[in-house]
Amino acid sequence: MAKDAIGFALSALNRLAGSELLDRLGMRQGAERLAYRLTKSGFQVITTTARAFKSKGNPDKPQRLHAPGETTDLFDLGITEEQQMIRDSVRAFADDVLREGAEEADAAQRTGDEIQAQARELGLNFFAVPEALGGAAAERSTVTSMLVAEELARGDMGQAVAILAPMGVANALTRWGSALQQDKYLTPFAGEEPPLASIALCEPRPLFDPKQPRTSATRDGDFWVLNGEKSLVPLAAEAELFLVAAATDDGPAVFIVEGGSEGLTAGEDPSMGIRASAQRPLYLKNVRVPADNRLGSDDFDYQAFVDLGTLAWCALAVGTAQAVLDYVIPYVNERQAFGEPISHRQAVAFMVADIAIELEAMRMLTYRAACRAEQGKTFQRETHLARTLVKEKAMQIGTDGVQLLGGHGFTHEYPVERWYRDLRAIGVAFGGLHL
């Protein structure tokens, strides 16, 4: 089958329908959780690398994806048939796989290998890699990535983060990586076993500003030496490749760091929410990386790097908030009190209406910023507006979801308490993913 978007979408639907992995999912979850627990070693572990990244030659120039066609100052809320097919296949996967395994993944604090394998069957990693490098991407599509993130989060935000983290690294390498960096690190993402990868941006300090990282990078001959601490890094103990933000003498920069590098360790500090993403602290102590591993060159835009990651978090929040709304509407219509559904009470009806209204506002601001990013326009202001609204309203939607279920909302038996914990992450998350 040709490596185009429609082909991958149809192939994904066929594979999901006939996959035997779905039948075995229930039998494997317990074993995966047990294996994860047994392999923990104290409070720090050496990060893992499962492959040796090698350049295949001396490519002449990096491959870039360009904005799609002619654009105007207006933004179009319609999506193409191709995008709808991708969205439908991702939604089916989120409903049938992620939603079903969400509680176990949250308890295990990781996304199982089998879930990651099924996510790869969708072929999403191919959409981050240009056709010239073996992928399926012909043009830059921030909107498509946003739709994928939103649909995955409807199933489970924690597992969605774990699935999207490698795509974020691939997208960043496609957008800014040099020819050598793409040849060595990006081409494996178009293979049958793409590497686990993650972006390390956040740091554990109050009022963290991503434009002023305290992690430092000092030039030492043909190497950069990195020192510092990162927090909330998805797949920190499992990733084979990291993009690490650090301060240099000429401003913040991003460095490609291979998992297993000497001086690179992952800590043990379970987060309150999005636990299935296996977020941990990442410690860098005199980690030496080649000078060529500084991401990009003169065209690298650190602010855009941060903003695109922030947009991904906004899309995840929209998807999770949609899951809350979809759950509470039938609940309040079916739950009886004083001889009638509780939705007949104005206080309940107004709360549900407020969730729907704020959710649409979140979605519109996020879509607008993503559309401008896709068109190659400035989108920093729009991203800031989207995040400002989303971090407040998403947390409120999580709170209201728990409130509408009353005592039920405070128990593990119902998913709203997990969505509440997940949505709280939006208030502290910057970057870390990439559209």
Side-chain angles (χ1 to χ4, degrees), residues 87-361:
R87 191 178 194 178
D88 290 344
S89 60
V90 173
R91 176 174 295 183
F93 172 76
D95 289 343
D96 297 340
V97 181
L98 299 188
R99 181 71 64 88
E100 290 298 318
E103 280 298 327
E104 291 193 34
D106 183 79
Q109 299 178 41
R110 76 184 298 266
T111 296
D113 295 338
E114 192 167 342
I115 301 296
Q116 288 280 16
Q118 291 177 69
R120 287 195 292 270
E121 289 183 6
L122 289 172
L124 297 178
N125 54 297
F126 288 101
F127 296 111
V129 182
E131 291 177 341
L133 297 177
E139 61 186 19
R140 185 170 65 240
S141 186
T142 307
V143 172
T144 301
S145 298
M146 177 197 65
L147 294 173
V148 168
E150 181 180 337
E151 292 302 329
L152 287 175
R154 280 185 68 254
D156 178 45
M157 185 191 286
Q159 294 176 93
V161 171
I163 292 168
L164 291 172
M167 287 181 57
V169 172
N171 279 324
L173 289 169
T174 296
R175 192 179 184 100
W176 290 295
S178 67
L180 182 62
Q181 291 167 356
Q182 289 186 348
D183 185 50
K184 185 176 182 180
Y185 296 111
L186 182 58
T187 52
F189 286 92
E192 293 296 326
E193 293 291 335
L196 290 179
S198 188
I199 295 175
L201 178 63
C202 290
E203 296 180 350
R205 55 190 175 90
L207 303 177
F208 168 68
D209 183 353
K211 292 185 291 186
Q212 297 180 344
R214 290 185 182 174
T215 298
S216 64
T218 306
R219 189 65 182 264
D220 182 15
D222 293 334
F223 292 87
W224 288 94
V225 181
L226 276 60
N227 285 281
E229 178 182 353
K230 295 296 182 179
S231 62
L232 302 178
V233 181
L235 307 174
E238 306 170 61
E240 302 161 87
L241 195 66
F242 295 93
L243 295 184
V244 180
T248 70
D249 290 339
D250 57 350
V254 175
F255 297 87
I256 304 170
V257 181
E258 295 183 18
S261 297
E262 184 176 355
L264 184 68
T265 56
E268 179 64 29
D269 187 15
S271 58
M272 180 179 76
I274 49 177
R275 292 159 64 89
S277 65
Q279 291 188 335
R280 292 180 175 208
L282 191 67
Y283 304 112
L284 302 101
K285 185 176 181 180
N286 296 323
V287 177
R288 298 175 68 84
V289 298
D292 290 338
N293 279 26
R294 178 170 176 170
L295 181 64
S297 54
D298 295 338
D299 65 339
F300 179 65
D301 187 339
Y302 182 78
Q303 183 62 57
F305 175 84
V306 174
D307 289 341
L308 286 168
T310 301
L311 272 183
W313 282 108
C314 290
L316 288 167
V318 170
T320 306
Q322 184 68 58
V324 174
L325 180 63
D326 292 344
Y327 194 88
V328 299
I329 289 176
Y331 181 89
V332 299
N333 284 330
E334 295 169 5
R335 181 71 173 174
Q336 297 277 330
F338 304 105
E340 62 181 358
I342 62 173
S343 59
H344 291 184
R345 304 291 173 176
Q346 280 191 343
V348 172
F350 288 170
M351 189 175 291
V352 175
D354 285 343
I355 291 176
I357 292 168
E358 301 299 353
L359 173 58
E360 284 306 303

